[in-house]
């Protein structure tokens, strides 16, 4: 007698069926398969090649899920094995938690488990085990595609809070001159590895380990495109100050605009769900809210980030 599929298995199968042609057409090997579609299964499932990362909320966020029924990890594992015939060792559970101070950069393990994914004809290095995050924010895929489409030989691009440099790679692959800035040496070196994966000459680009505020105050260079995707909150021990995107975004944006060419564009985004752009910015510059258009097709959560294009 054939066993009946579970509700979670049916939903994952349905989601994958909807995305299958899009995945093939765009040659994407990493995407969001399930996004808390069913209240009884409050997870997010991301696919990276043949691996499945299942995100659940950490202890600091428990109050938000206290009303939810018991979590059913075993059913999700069984569903993934039935649908994709995957090995259980390729199913990884990770805790989504708020990071502060040195926790933002420290390793959780030291397996050195890096491998390469493909997106928009770009190769990028990810690690599903050693750090809280994987090395690639899937929700910013549309922005990466846009930056690649806009980039060309004579363009100067500045990527701030660059993380592992995936946006930088998308600009550099089209021969733009890219400056990549992040406070973490680990992420700057990761960005260099991503450039090397795509056979991009590192000598033609600039990599800077620095606090973004310090860099913007010290540099005199102008850029045609600036990408600004700061954390919602940061208190890294490398900088003797606490950053809050809601409180500090006006000053940060103003510093960016000083470094933008007259015809340039600042791409500003953040993941603070209650974020509100200060009216000083909207009254001083031309601002276009692009949030709705920059949410990927595979994301059910339409509030995953807010994004804006800001010009003179």
């Amino acid at each position: 007698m054939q066993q009946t599929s579970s509700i979670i298995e049916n939903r994952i199968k349905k989601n994958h069926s909807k995305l299958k042609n899009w995945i093939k057409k765009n040659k994407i090997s990493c995407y969001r398969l399930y996004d808390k579609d069913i209240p009884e299964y409050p997870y997010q499932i991301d696919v990276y090649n043949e691996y499945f990362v299942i995100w659940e909320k950490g202890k600091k966020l428990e109050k938000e899920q206290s009303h939810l029924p018991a979590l059913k990890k075993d059913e999700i594992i069984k569903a993934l094995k039935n649908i994709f015939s995957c090995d259980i060792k390729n199913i990884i559970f990770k805790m989504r938690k708020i990071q502060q101070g040195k926790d933002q950069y420290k390793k959780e393990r030291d397996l050195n488990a890096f491998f390469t994914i493909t997106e928009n004809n770009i190769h990028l290095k990810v690690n599903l085990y050693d750090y809280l995050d994987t090395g690639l924010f899937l929700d910013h895929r549309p922005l990466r595609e846009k930056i690649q489409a806009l980039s060309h030989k004579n363009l100067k691009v500045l990527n701030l809070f660059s993380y592992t440099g995936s946006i930088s790679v998308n600009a550099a692959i089209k021969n733009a001159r890219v400056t990549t800035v992040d406070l973490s040496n680990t992420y700057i070196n990761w960005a260099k590895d991503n450039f090397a994966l795509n056979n991009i000459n590192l000598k033609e680009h600039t990599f800077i380990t620095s606090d973004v505020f310090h860099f913007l105050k010290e540099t005199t260079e102008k850029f045609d495109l600036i990408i600004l995707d700061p954390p919602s909150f940061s208190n890294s021990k490398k900088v003797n100050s606490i950053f809050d995107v809601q409180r500090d975004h006006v000053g940060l944006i103003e510093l960016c605009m000083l470094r933008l060419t007259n015809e340039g564009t600042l791409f500003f985004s953040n993941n603070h769900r209650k974020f509100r752009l200060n009216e000083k910015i909207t009254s001083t510059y031309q601002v276009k809210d692009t949030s709705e258009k920059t949410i990927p097709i595979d994301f059910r959560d339409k509030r995953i980030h807010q994004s804006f294009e800001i010009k003179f």
Side-chain angles (χ1 to χ4, degrees), residues 48-65:
Y48 291 82
N49 294 358
E50 69 274 21
Y51 293 88
F52 299 84
V53 177
I54 303 173
W55 296 96
E56 56 182 317
K57 289 182 178 179
K59 291 182 179 180
K60 291 186 178 181
L61 301 176
E62 277 181 352
K63 289 182 180 178
E64 297 180 22
Q65 63 176 43

Side-chain angles (χ1 to χ4, degrees), residues 104-105 131 163-165 182 184-192:
Q104 297 172 81
Y105 305 106
Y131 305 88
Y163 190 36
T164 60
D182 197 276
S184 167
N185 268 317
T186 297
Y187 294 152
I188 287 295
N189 288 330
W190 196 326
K192 290 178 180 178

Side-chain angles (χ1 to χ4, degrees), residues 158 160 223-228 256 259-260 265-268:
L158 173 61
L160 301 169
F223 299 89
D224 302 299
L225 299 182
I226 299 178
I227 297 92
L228 176 65
C256 287
R259 306 273 50 92
L260 192 68
T265 303
L266 169 64
F267 293 88
F268 169 56

Side-chain angles (χ1 to χ4, degrees), residues 270-309:
N270 70 83
N271 294 76
H272 190 334
R273 287 184 176 269
K274 296 181 179 180
F275 178 80
R276 292 292 179 268
L277 192 64
N278 192 288
E279 63 179 15
K280 184 176 182 182
I281 298 301
T282 55
S283 62
T284 304
Y285 309 107
Q286 296 183 52
V287 178
K288 182 180 179 182
D289 188 333
T290 57
S291 302
E292 188 176 337
K293 291 183 178 180
T294 59
I295 304 298
I297 190 174
D298 47 326
F299 274 68
R300 183 172 172 269
D301 182 0
K302 302 306 179 185
R303 296 173 58 218
I304 187 68
H305 66 239
Q306 294 188 52
S307 60
F308 307 87
E309 292 179 12

Side-chain angles (χ1 to χ4, degrees), residues 47-221:
V47 179
Y48 291 82
N49 294 358
E50 69 274 21
Y51 293 88
F52 299 84
V53 177
I54 303 173
W55 296 96
E56 56 182 317
K57 289 182 178 179
K59 291 182 179 180
K60 291 186 178 181
L61 301 176
E62 277 181 352
K63 289 182 180 178
E64 297 180 22
Q65 63 176 43
S66 60
H67 65 287
L68 296 173
L71 306 180
K72 301 177 180 179
K73 297 182 185 180
D74 54 336
E75 289 186 38
I76 294 179
I77 292 172
K78 183 179 179 182
L80 292 173
K81 289 176 70 176
N82 287 345
I83 298 167
F84 298 99
S85 301
C86 61
D87 195 309
I88 192 168
K89 70 180 181 181
N90 289 2
I91 300 174
I92 304 153
F93 280 86
K94 294 175 78 72
M95 282 284 185
R96 182 79 72 188
K97 57 188 177 182
I98 296 171
Q99 296 173 287
Q100 297 182 3
K102 62 184 180 180
D103 292 338
Q104 297 172 81
Y105 305 106
K106 76 176 183 181
K107 282 189 173 183
E108 295 192 324
R109 304 180 190 178
D110 196 14
L111 301 178
N112 200 32
F114 292 94
F115 65 93
T116 302
I117 61 88
T118 303
E119 176 191 277
N120 198 24
N121 295 314
I122 295 289
H123 304 298
L124 298 167
K125 188 172 83 167
V126 297
N127 186 320
L128 309 184
Y129 296 95
D130 293 351
Y131 305 88
L132 174 62
D133 290 308
T134 64
L136 185 67
F137 296 130
L138 299 185
D139 63 301
H140 282 302
R141 187 190 311 110
L143 178 59
R144 291 190 287 271
E145 292 174 354
K146 181 157 191 174
I147 295 301
Q148 184 180 142
L150 290 173
S151 295
H152 54 78
K153 187 175 183 180
N154 296 318
L155 203 73
K156 292 180 68 176
V157 177
L158 173 61
N159 186 12
L160 301 169
F161 298 100
S162 64
Y163 190 36
T164 60
S166 57
I167 288 179
S168 298
V169 173
N170 275 273
I173 203 75
K174 288 296 188 74
N175 299 311
R177 297 268 309 273
V178 185
T179 298
T180 302
V181 182
D182 197 276
L183 186 61
S184 167
N185 268 317
T186 297
Y187 294 152
I188 287 295
N189 288 330
W190 196 326
K192 290 178 180 178
D193 289 344
N194 279 333
F195 271 61
L197 267 178
N198 293 278
N199 299 313
I200 301 169
N201 189 347
L202 297 181
K203 294 180 181 178
E204 295 179 358
H205 305 277
T206 305
F207 300 86
I208 298 173
T209 303
S210 173
D211 168 57
V212 165
F213 280 92
H214 177 76
F215 168 79
L216 289 170
K217 290 173 182 177
E218 292 294 317
T219 188
T220 58
E221 199 170 356

